[in-house]
Amino acid sequence: MQIVTIGGVTVGLCILGYYLTTWWPGTKQLTKDPARHAAVLAPFLFAWAYGCLTVLGIGGLIGWTADTALWISNWLGDVALVWGVGADAGQRAGGTVYLPLTQTGGAVVLILTAVMVALVKKSRHGAAIKLGAWCGITLGTSAGIAGFAAVPLAQAVNWVGAVLFGAL
């Protein structure tokens, strides 16, 4: 499991800031039709939650892909911090409490992976889904609010897996 650095969290926050800035319809439009604008944000948020789940101790190819994406994000962020603003690189971004996924929770993440692949290929929101997953991978293990969101996500997926596979 990769540990996120300040550079990796910076990359995640840059992705989040970029997406929210391009999504923001303005206060007047948002209050006029909030459901339509929230629907545009939903694919990014779904993918963000999926990205968080993939770095919670998932092994195999999915875990390796998430760890690799986190490692690359850490490296990119550290380089940007050093060369962009003269900060130190490689500092750990604090700890968070990890809630491992159960076997059935891991099965649900595998099912979600199949759904994500189909959504990226078929949906017109493919770019938002990719950005959301990348953002979730980088922020899912951070010590901030985004990292703490991973615990209820893991609990929910573990519960869904127990209910789904317990009923079979």
Side-chain angles (χ1 to χ4, degrees), residues 91-113:
Q91 297 178 9
R92 187 173 177 195
T96 185
V97 178
Y98 293 102
L99 180 68
L101 295 175
T102 61
Q103 184 177 13
T104 56
V108 171
V109 172
L110 181 61
I111 294 165
L112 288 174
T113 301

Side-chain angles (χ1 to χ4, degrees), residues 42-66:
F44 179 86
L45 294 177
F46 175 72
W48 181 87
Y50 169 78
C52 285
L53 288 170
T54 61
V55 294
L56 292 178
I58 296 288
L61 186 59
I62 296 169
W64 178 82
T65 304

Side-chain angles (χ1 to χ4, degrees), residues 72-135:
I72 291 169
S73 299
N74 285 339
W75 184 84
L76 288 172
D78 289 343
V79 167
L81 287 173
V82 169
W83 292 97
V85 294
D88 292 332
Q91 297 178 9
R92 187 173 177 195
T96 185
V97 178
Y98 293 102
L99 180 68
L101 295 175
T102 61
Q103 184 177 13
T104 56
V108 171
V109 172
L110 181 61
I111 294 165
L112 288 174
T113 301
V115 170
M116 293 295 291
V117 169
L119 285 174
V120 166
K121 287 186 171 191
K122 296 291 184 179
S123 174
R124 64 183 174 99
H125 301 289
I129 292 168
K130 290 175 190 175
L131 285 174
W134 187 13
C135 184

